[in-house]
């Protein structure tokens, strides 16, 4: 017996892509980008709120000081 006989090559068809799977992959990538953008937006919004509160406190302090000078309450 001769084991050197080779089996004929089998044709392997190219892998077919499933449109539903492709859509899910695209949706997952979009959600990942959305999460990153939303996290960045949350950080920026927190900074804007913090600076707004600090600015409001400083502005109120100056307005109260100015009103006390105008009405003579600062003596």
């Amino acid at each position: 017996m001769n084991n050197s006989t080779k089996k004929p090559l089998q044709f392997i068809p190219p892998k077919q892509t499933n449109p539903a799977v492709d859509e899910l992959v695209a949706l997952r990538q979009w959600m990942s980008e959305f999460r990153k953008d939303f996290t960045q937006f949350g950080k920026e919004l927190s900074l804007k709120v913090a600076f707004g509160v600090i600015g409001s406190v400083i502005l109120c302090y100056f307005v109260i000081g100015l009103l006390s000078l105008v009405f003579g309450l600062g003596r």
Side-chain angles (χ1 to χ4, degrees):
M1 282 196 154
N2 190 355
N3 289 338
S4 65
T5 57
K6 296 180 180 178
K7 293 182 180 179
L9 294 176
Q10 294 179 353
F11 175 72
I12 300 173
K15 190 174 185 179
Q16 298 289 329
T17 59
N18 187 343
V21 172
D22 293 342
E23 189 173 342
L24 288 174
V25 169
L27 184 61
R28 182 176 178 168
Q29 291 171 346
W30 181 81
M31 285 296 296
S32 176
E33 290 297 319
F34 178 78
R35 278 191 214 112
K36 290 176 187 174
D37 293 343
F38 190 77
T39 303
Q40 183 65 28
F41 172 75
K43 289 177 184 177
E44 291 174 4
L45 183 62
S46 297
L47 281 174
K48 288 179 183 179
V49 168
F51 284 127
V53 169
I54 292 169
S56 298
V57 169
I58 292 171
L59 183 63
C60 287
Y61 178 76
F62 284 126
V63 168
I64 290 172
L66 182 63
L67 288 175
S68 67
L69 285 175
V70 168
F71 291 114
L73 301 174
R75 294 184 187 178

